[in-house]
Amino acid sequence: MIALVRRPGPRLAEGLVSHVERQEVDVALAHRQWSSYVDALTAAGWTCVEVAPADDCPDAVFVEDPVVVHRNTAVLARSGAASRRPETAGVEAALDGYDVRRIEAPGTLDGGDVLKIGDTVHVGRSGRTNDEGIAQLATHLPDATVVPVPVTRVLHLKSAVTALPDGTVIGYPPLVDDPAAFADFLAVPEESGSHVVLLGGDAVLMAASAPRTAALFESRGLRVVTVDISEFEKLEGCVTCLSVRLRGR
């Protein structure tokens, strides 16, 4: 199992924010937190591959956004934030062996708006992803069922919801536009508890800032690994944003 990661650049503190107030980011601490995140993936059996730096792009550490990978297809995104579009170049270079497709203008798409549960692909219609981008993604993934989902309260769909290993969608209700859009929805008590990375088996990676949610998951039989990502949370980032998991590689 391979995880693509990209280390924080020198302009990290200039990263875009849209749904939160800007806070001062401790870049040195962010680097330490990023290293701990990579260590957690490695300890869980993932081989972490560093994507080439994009130091002129403050948000490039959020490597999930430039690409969507499903089976053997990799779709290079085209962010609704024009300043983020140069991030795709380094990611493309790390996709050897994949059938690479692209979202073309006027379509826009961010990987953070894409939640895959088996062959169902929920895509947030957000400030970063438009209807044309969703339609193009559906064309590129003919074996998947692409389901548009409204996103108005947070940056990305996966800022609001992710899914547990059994497919249960989890989210913090005040930030989820339509919980009924998901067949099986579990409310969590903390905003950052909405975000998990599936490590394999019954293990999930999540932010240390959601201890009540971690206890909830453990009560459901999950093994929870936590990491402190406070500096990335200030930039609307979460555990899913910081890697692209290539389970088929």
Side-chain angles (χ1 to χ4, degrees):
M1 301 183 296
I2 293 175
L4 304 182
V5 295
R6 181 184 253 155
R7 66 180 57 242
R11 297 179 59 192
L12 175 68
E14 302 171 35
L16 299 173
V17 294
S18 59
H19 290 76
V20 300
E21 292 186 9
R22 184 171 293 279
Q23 302 178 60
E24 183 177 352
V25 174
D26 184 332
V27 176
L29 176 57
H31 275 271
R32 295 194 295 273
Q33 291 178 344
W34 180 84
S35 293
S36 294
Y37 175 92
V38 171
D39 288 345
L41 289 176
T42 302
W46 292 81
T47 299
C48 291
V49 175
E50 282 200 45
V51 171
D55 287 347
D56 289 336
C57 298
D59 291 294
V61 67
F62 302 124
V63 70
E64 177 183 54
D65 290 324
V67 66
V68 174
V69 177
H70 181 70
R71 295 186 178 178
N72 67 336
T73 300
V75 181
L76 291 173
R78 182 176 181 270
S79 180
S83 64
R84 297 203 60 188
R85 292 174 191 166
E87 297 174 25
T88 59
V91 174
E92 182 178 8
L95 295 171
D96 183 54
Y98 281 91
D99 177 12
V100 177
R101 312 289 182 88
R102 299 175 185 274
I103 302 298
E104 305 285 357
T108 62
L109 181 83
D110 264 8
D113 275 319
V114 180
L115 175 62
K116 297 169 291 181
I117 305 175
D119 285 331
T120 298
V121 179
H122 298 279
V123 187
R125 184 187 294 110
S126 71
R128 300 285 180 87
T129 297
N130 64 16
D131 286 331
E132 174 63 21
I134 296 172
Q136 290 184 32
L137 182 66
T139 298
H140 293 319
L141 304 179
D143 295 329
T145 300
V146 173
V147 181
V149 180
V151 176
T152 63
R153 303 177 186 180
V154 288
L155 175 60
H156 289 132
L157 176 62
K158 287 168 75 174
S159 303
V161 296
T162 56
L164 298 177
D166 65 0
T168 299
V169 174
I170 55 172
Y172 180 59
L175 299 181
V176 181
D177 283 75
D178 183 15
F182 310 102
D184 191 3
F185 179 81
L186 173 68
V188 299
E190 296 146 312
E191 178 181 350
S192 61
S194 303
H195 319 128
V196 296
V197 169
L198 306 185
L199 294 175
D202 61 356
V204 296
L205 178 71
M206 63 180 294
S209 55
R212 288 182 292 156
T213 307
L216 172 63
F217 294 161
E218 288 172 341
S219 75
R220 293 173 63 95
L222 295 174
R223 182 167 61 86
V224 176
V225 178
T226 60
V227 287
D228 183 0
I229 56 166
S230 63
E231 302 314 293
F232 302 105
E233 290 172 330
K234 294 175 182 178
L235 296 167
E236 298 179 281
C238 61
V239 287
T240 66
C241 308
L242 294 169
S243 61
V244 179
R245 281 75 58 195
L246 306 179
R247 289 176 172 81
R249 293 282 292 275

